Amino acid sequence: MQQQKLATIEDVAAIAGVSIATVSRAINEPTKVADETRRRVNDAIARTGYTTNAMARSLRMRRSNMILILAPDVGDPNFSNILVGLETEASKRGYGVLIGNTQNDPERESDYLRFISSNQADGMILLTGHLPFGHAQPGQETRLPPMVAVNEPVPNSDIPFVGVDNFEGSRLAAEHLISQGHRRIAFIGHSSSRAVNQLRERGYRAALEGAGIAIEPLLILDGDGTTESGRQATEHMFVRDVLPTAFLCVNDATALGVIISLTARRYDLPRQFSVMGFDDISFASFVTPSLTTMKQPRLRIGEAAMDMLLGLLEGNRPDRNSVLLRSELIVRNSVAPPRGLLP
């Protein structure tokens, strides 16, 4: 039997009615080619079977056109739309994604790194807030491929970061509570280890200081961002008999815990206590009362992070090492003036 001739880039160009250079750009830099032209090239590739040849060439170049995403918990509602943004931008540029659900387990992170060591992934997106386990010492990131941190920066490293401006968002959240007449505002989410919590606490402090409100240490409570930590912090305040008129929570999950605790004690929200979250995850509009919060532009964060990483893979250093996007105040029903100020 006569062996079928392998398709060439010239065959693709002839069928698509474009130059060889245009076919090359459509494969390697698809965003630089018009949509209609790229469609004709992709159709020609499918008809000729040239995709196989392109994949083989990619393997010879030790490039996989795949990106490894390490996330601590893919079930976290704050990550889902970021992941969609990451995948959408990667797909536009001719890349696929591998999602590693690490569950903060060192062994799982090490397992996922095999995709890097075996050249099955060209770069990494880190949603974990730290370098992969085994590469945690400063300077060891040079042993890894290009990386971009998302949602939470990697401390003591020069890894580029894309996320929301946590300081500014929290400052605006606290200022909203102050504008409603609140002066005793609790912050739940103090942490000595998480950069996001620290930035949001700094924003809270800056807003109070800017309004001339004394910061009360007893109104700042620890929290790890879980619903249970919000519930426990609220209960702790009742035990100490130190109560605010409003709660600013490090995230929406914490705010839900506050609402659960206050509702169990039969308080009328927001008439007796106001509660404010951060992130605007899916349940925020369905809880009672619906949650006033700061909305993260998660799709844009994912798209911007993937764009930055793919730029690094092409040899382009970003103009800025961190891209901070603005959060948006979403006013719902969980914040009202303090009871004494109501008509």
Side-chain angles (χ1 to χ4, degrees):
M1 295 179 62
Q2 184 177 1
Q3 186 176 12
Q4 184 178 2
K5 178 186 174 184
L6 292 176
T8 66
I9 194 169
E10 289 84 359
D11 297 330
V12 175
I15 292 174
V18 298
S19 68
I20 293 173
T22 298
V23 174
S24 179
R25 279 197 299 275
I27 294 171
N28 299 304
E29 300 176 285
T31 58
K32 296 184 178 180
V33 178
D35 290 344
E36 175 58 24
T37 302
R38 188 168 66 246
R39 185 190 63 76
R40 296 208 313 271
V41 170
N42 288 337
D43 287 347
I45 288 173
R47 288 173 58 187
T48 61
Y50 184 69
T51 302
T52 302
N53 299 340
M55 289 174 64
R57 185 175 64 256
S58 174
L59 290 173
R60 289 196 302 271
M61 295 172 65
R62 301 180 69 81
R63 293 287 294 274
S64 66
N65 280 18
M66 298 295 290
I67 302 299
L68 175 61
I69 300 171
L70 293 182
D73 180 6
V74 295
D76 185 332
N78 198 40
F79 289 158
S80 57
N81 280 345
I82 292 177
L83 293 174
V84 170
L86 289 166
E87 195 280 331
T88 299
E89 184 63 23
S91 180
K92 281 188 204 173
R93 306 275 286 272
Y95 281 77
V97 298
L98 300 164
I99 299 176
N101 185 25
T102 70
Q103 299 178 14
N104 288 317
D105 182 339
E107 290 188 10
R108 291 177 70 91
E109 286 198 7
S110 297
D111 286 344
Y112 286 121
L113 287 181
R114 74 183 186 275
F115 290 107
I116 298 296
S117 60
S118 61
N119 298 308
Q120 295 180 68
D122 302 327
M124 283 198 296
I125 295 287
L126 303 176
L127 286 90
T128 56
H130 60 254
L131 285 169
F133 288 105
H135 299 78
Q137 298 303 317
Q140 288 192 338
E141 59 266 30
T142 57
R143 295 164 49 193
L144 293 168
M147 294 177 288
V148 172
V150 180
N151 204 51
E152 189 162 352
V154 175
N156 305 316
S157 79
D158 61 355
I159 295 173
F161 169 70
V162 178
V164 73
D165 189 334
N166 290 292
F167 170 84
E168 180 66 10
S170 184
R171 186 181 67 81
L172 291 173
E175 287 181 348
H176 176 65
L177 293 171
I178 293 168
S179 74
Q180 297 299 301
H182 293 280
R183 293 296 179 269
R184 289 183 56 80
I185 302 171
F187 178 83
I188 300 181
H190 173 77
S191 173
S192 60
S193 59
R194 290 202 61 193
V196 167
N197 296 44
Q198 293 167 9
L199 286 167
R200 293 180 185 180
E201 182 179 335
R202 284 175 49 199
Y204 155 82
R205 289 174 175 270
L208 267 60
E209 290 170 355
I213 300 172
I215 294 172
E216 299 183 50
L218 291 178
L219 293 182
I220 299 175
L221 283 86
D222 293 345
D224 62 7
T226 61
T227 297
E228 179 59 18
S229 73
R231 190 195 66 79
Q232 288 183 357
T234 308
E235 292 298 315
H236 190 54
M237 283 190 165
F238 280 101
V239 169
R240 294 192 304 184
D241 198 25
V242 179
L243 296 177
T245 61
F247 294 82
L248 175 56
C249 301
V250 74
N251 61 15
D252 291 346
T254 300
L256 176 59
V258 174
I259 290 173
I260 289 171
S261 174
L262 295 175
T263 301
R265 290 175 173 269
R266 301 186 182 279
Y267 283 102
D268 181 8
L269 307 182
R271 184 176 180 86
Q272 292 174 287
F273 293 102
S274 288
V275 182
M276 182 150 190
F278 200 116
D279 291 335
D280 193 33
I281 61 178
S282 55
F283 80 75
S285 59
F286 300 110
V287 66
T288 301
S290 58
L291 188 61
T292 295
T293 187
M294 301 299 297
K295 181 182 180 68
Q296 286 205 52
R298 287 185 284 272
L299 277 174
R300 287 174 51 213
I301 288 172
E303 291 168 349
M306 185 60 72
D307 178 67
M308 181 182 284
L309 178 61
L310 298 185
L312 289 171
L313 290 173
E314 294 166 3
N316 303 320
R317 290 297 304 177
D319 296 333
R320 296 171 293 164
N321 212 43
S322 74
V323 175
L324 300 180
L325 302 179
R326 290 179 61 86
S327 51
E328 176 189 358
L329 174 64
I330 304 295
V331 177
R332 295 195 180 100
N333 300 323
S334 64
V335 172
R339 188 174 186 179
L341 299 181
L342 287 168

